[in-house]
Amino acid sequence: EKDSNSLAKKLTQARGSFTPAVQKYVDAMRSTSTATEHAQHAEALMQQVRDLGRMPKESHDPKECRLARELRDRRATGLMTSYEPELRELEIKDAEAAAASTATEHAQQAEGLMQEVRALGRMPKEGHNPKERRLARELRDARAAGLMIAHEPELASMEAADERRRV
């Protein structure tokens, strides 16, 4: 590295005496060297993303946060263009995993609500009991959001049984 720095100093000092052709050659060499360094850095960055197995997030993990920022910055400057298809594929996989996770959470939430309704033995009412009022509100909200579709036949049956009891 010391020799490299010495050579760089000598080149900088001699620059004024270069012919246009020599100056063009030196600039081309410097440009090629920079492009090679950028390509190597992009490959190293991409390897870190591959090792992570997903797109990095700016999270609590400092390493992942640094990787996410560096990737975002390199993409913004166009240094990751050769890796864009692979990065887009990772983004799609991340989105699919998030959607599947959300669907699972919704199904678990719906099942939890149904277990509470079954334990009550009837449809919850928004009356004086705070627990039953909370259950009625959560059930109403979940039905409005379409999360209870799989349980609608059972809910309809419970509503019909409640109606028969009133008559």
Side-chain angles (χ1 to χ4, degrees), residues 1-163:
E1 188 171 318
K2 188 176 181 182
D3 292 338
S4 177
N5 287 341
S6 174
L7 179 59
K9 281 184 180 179
K10 288 178 184 176
L11 277 173
T12 303
Q13 291 170 348
R15 194 172 215 163
S17 63
F18 288 167
T19 64
V22 170
Q23 182 61 45
K24 188 175 181 180
Y25 176 75
V26 169
D27 290 343
M29 291 302 291
R30 183 175 284 147
S31 174
T32 301
S33 174
T34 302
T36 302
E37 288 173 16
H38 286 309
Q40 289 172 343
H41 186 71
E43 176 58 36
L45 193 60
M46 195 60 210
Q47 189 55 53
Q48 290 177 36
V49 172
R50 288 183 195 114
D51 291 345
L52 185 61
R54 59 179 170 75
M55 289 297 287
K57 297 180 178 113
E58 294 190 27
S59 64
H60 300 292
D61 178 8
K63 283 184 175 182
E64 186 175 349
C65 189
R66 179 198 53 76
L67 180 60
R69 264 186 274 126
E70 196 170 346
L71 181 62
R72 185 186 64 234
D73 293 346
R74 296 292 180 252
R75 287 177 92 178
T77 58
L79 297 176
M80 300 298 290
T81 53
S82 62
Y83 298 102
E84 282 303 322
E86 188 175 354
L87 290 168
R88 271 190 241 107
E89 192 174 306
L90 283 171
E91 289 171 335
I92 290 168
K93 284 181 183 176
D94 288 353
E96 288 171 349
S101 175
T102 302
T104 301
E105 289 172 17
H106 287 169
Q108 289 172 344
Q109 179 187 5
E111 185 56 38
L113 284 172
M114 280 308 297
Q115 287 177 359
E116 288 185 64
V117 171
R118 289 180 195 118
L120 185 61
R122 59 179 171 75
M123 291 297 287
K125 296 181 177 129
E126 295 190 28
H128 297 293
N129 183 330
K131 286 183 178 182
E132 188 174 346
R133 184 173 45 243
R134 177 201 51 83
L135 179 58
R137 182 180 37 79
E138 287 181 8
L139 182 61
R140 184 185 65 239
D141 293 346
R143 288 176 101 175
L147 302 179
M148 303 302 290
I149 292 172
H151 301 284
E152 284 301 328
E154 185 177 358
L155 290 169
S157 172
M158 291 179 112
E159 286 173 333
D162 287 351
E163 191 63 38

